[in-house]
Amino acid sequence: MATYCDRCGLAAAEGDHTACAAARELEPPRFCPACRRRMKVQVVPTGWTATCVEHGVLTS
Amino acid sequence: MPQILDRARARVLEGGAGLDQAEILEILRLPDEDLPELLQLAHDVRMKWCGPEVEVEGIVSLKTGGCPEDCHFCSQSGLFASPVRAVWLDIPSLVKAAEQTAATGATEFCIVAAVRGPDQRLMDQMREGVKAIKEAVDIQVAASLGMLTQEQVDDLVDMGVHRYNHNLETCESYFPNVVTTHSWEERWSTLKMVRESGMEVCCGGILGLGETVEQRAEFAAQLAELDPHEVPLNFLNPRPGTPLGDRPVVEGKDALRAIAAFRLAMPRTILRYAGGREITLGDLGTREGLLGGINAVIVGNYLTTLGRPATADLELLQDLKMPVKSLSATF
Ligand code: SF4
Ligand SMILES: [Zn+2]
Ligand SMILES: [Zn+2]
């Protein structure tokens, strides 16, 4: 379960993240959903990878 | 029929000359009911002076984020509270991105870096990267690395970079509202060096930065004066944390009017759909643009945001009977 919104970095359980979810269809995640650290994100033409120093790598 | 469309038909479609700034403004002010006819004319101009081929390109960020400049639309500036972090792409991943781009049928691969201008580390990475790409893939390599010195221009030519992208972003009169860390003239002088080097000049910008419709016309006229080989047209995709993060997106009809106007200003240029088309125009917009003056697309993802899958654009091109420009056609 995501503790934090991976687009805005705020607590996933608080507030409305509908707009974040919609935007995420055309954006990679920016915040680690487990710890809200800003991830290192590399976009390439066919996908993306997002890395949290603590929680490892997410890919598209 | 509005008189301006008659004039455009004679001058641009028949004669192959672009409209001037006052005429471009008239085009941008045409009411919605004239839009279908305007788009048809822009399409006819593109077909006559460029042909049915569509140039397909992929782009990749070699160095993302942490840029010292303050372009107010940009999530990669290190000066704003943007969530985009600095990151470098390694050479094997760069080559893989080029291979995946070529596999879509694209003939252009543009390597981009978020910098004011290249330092030695970036130039070294470019030399190694371009060489590795050329050994592995049959694709033309373009670059976008900010402002250049003459020595760096010469180095890029030597590496075999065939086209250089450096956007003026907006018209001269509005530029200081968008960027304060460098000037429009500085960008123009890099473009002049690129032109003189023999590399193809790729120069466009972003619409929806808060410029007026007059300034949009000014921008098209200034680009026409530069006469670039390619003009990438972006529409602002407001990025969280940037000074323009809360701006509204360009209205779909205004975007299409602008595409047609830029085509009528520059009948022979490669007019490329770049970032923001999905946000501004939705899925249908790609089709409408390709039938309204556009003759090139960026496929797949952008630098920090995502695009539609390349397959969606390629299927559309097939549907429209617009062949993807082949490598042999580009020499
Ligand atoms: S120079 Fe390029 S990367 Fe840097 S802030 Fe401006 S647009 Fe962004
Ligand atoms: Zn959110
Ligand atoms: Zn984490």
Side-chain angles (χ1 to χ4, degrees):
Chain A
M1 244 322 272
T3 310
Y4 299 99
C5 171
D6 63 8
R7 180 173 195 253
C8 70
L10 300 175
E14 287 164 37
D16 184 4
H17 300 277
T18 324
C20 292
R24 272 279 282 110
E25 296 197 4
L26 287 169
E27 295 174 18
R30 291 289 165 191
F31 294 90
C32 174
C35 70
R36 75 160 294 181
R37 278 187 182 86
R38 279 194 311 151
M39 297 189 286
K40 284 195 167 180
V41 180
Q42 176 73 51
V43 175
V44 293
T46 52
W48 50 262
T49 54
T51 311
C52 169
V53 282
E54 187 66 31
H55 297 97
V57 183
L58 299 170
T59 57
S60 51
Chain B
M1 184 171 48
Q3 217 206 342
I4 179 67
L5 288 180
D6 273 340
R7 248 185 299 151
R9 195 177 310 278
R11 176 113 51 83
V12 191
L13 183 60
E14 313 298 333
L19 296 184
D20 66 23
Q21 186 172 332
E23 293 165 328
I24 299 164
L25 182 57
E26 274 188 73
I27 293 286
L28 290 172
R29 285 185 169 148
L30 283 174
D32 286 357
E33 65 254 31
D34 292 328
L35 188 56
E37 201 181 334
L38 169 62
L39 293 173
Q40 184 61 49
L41 175 60
H43 181 59
D44 292 345
V45 166
R46 167 269 174 117
M47 292 303 253
K48 170 150 184 188
W49 296 104
C50 305
E53 293 83 17
V54 173
E55 192 185 82
V56 177
E57 176 187 58
I59 61 174
V60 77
S61 182
L62 175 60
K63 185 252 169 187
T64 305
C67 181
E69 303 305 293
D70 77 343
C71 311
H72 290 12
F73 52 82
C74 182
S75 66
Q76 302 197 62
S77 169
L79 302 174
F80 312 137
S82 157
V84 174
R85 284 187 61 184
V87 52
W88 282 79
L89 185 64
D90 59 60
I91 302 292
S93 306
L94 179 71
V95 175
K96 196 166 151 212
E99 285 169 342
Q100 288 170 339
T101 298
T104 67
T107 53
E108 290 283 321
F109 183 66
C110 187
I111 305 171
V112 186
V115 291
R116 177 182 169 87
D119 58 11
Q120 196 53 50
R121 176 187 178 192
L122 179 56
M123 290 303 282
D124 291 346
Q125 286 288 96
M126 278 299 292
R127 187 168 285 282
E128 197 185 326
V130 174
K131 181 164 178 276
I133 290 168
K134 286 184 177 283
E135 280 165 8
V137 207
D138 214 9
I139 197 161
Q140 306 214 79
V141 179
S144 181
L145 315 171
M147 292 180 279
L148 301 175
T149 63
Q150 184 62 54
E151 195 186 341
Q152 289 167 336
V153 170
D154 298 341
D155 281 351
L156 291 170
V157 172
D158 184 57
M159 289 173 204
V161 171
H162 90 117
R163 187 181 295 171
Y164 193 76
N165 165 265
H166 195 47
N167 290 340
L168 287 166
E169 307 300 9
T170 191
C171 65
E172 187 173 11
S173 71
Y174 194 63
F175 191 87
N177 297 80
V178 180
V179 184
T180 69
T181 49
H182 60 267
S183 67
W184 201 84
E185 292 71 25
E186 283 177 278
R187 287 189 178 231
W188 188 272
S189 67
T190 288
L191 289 161
K192 252 176 49 197
M193 280 189 284
V194 170
R195 153 75 34 84
E196 281 157 18
S197 76
M199 273 191 285
E200 292 176 359
V201 173
C202 169
C203 178
I206 309 183
L207 302 185
L209 300 173
E211 76 282 0
T212 62
V213 70
E214 287 81 5
Q215 286 169 321
R216 242 171 240 180
E218 178 193 341
F219 185 38
Q222 285 163 342
L223 286 174
E225 186 192 334
L226 178 70
D227 190 23
H229 198 84
E230 172 187 338
V231 174
L233 256 194
N234 296 271
F235 301 97
L236 180 71
N237 177 354
R239 299 290 72 216
T242 65
L244 299 181
D246 292 324
R247 273 208 62 80
V249 299
V250 175
E251 215 256 305
K253 287 193 170 121
D254 289 336
L256 293 171
R257 243 186 298 268
I259 288 167
F262 276 60
R263 171 54 72 203
L264 297 180
M266 293 169 281
R268 290 177 181 79
T269 197
I270 297 172
L271 187 60
R272 189 181 306 279
Y273 245 145
R277 67 176 146 120
E278 295 85 354
I279 306 274
T280 293
L281 287 150
D283 262 344
L284 276 179
T286 303
R287 178 187 203 98
E288 292 175 294
L290 282 162
L291 292 170
I294 293 282
N295 69 332
V297 289
I298 289 176
V299 288
N301 295 332
Y302 302 105
L303 302 173
T304 63
T305 60
L306 311 180
R308 343 195 285 161
T311 47
D313 282 339
L314 296 166
E315 280 165 20
L316 174 61
L317 293 182
Q318 220 171 20
D319 210 36
L320 294 173
K321 302 198 168 42
M322 293 181 186
V324 173
K325 186 163 150 191
S326 66
L327 260 186
S328 58
T330 60
F331 292 110

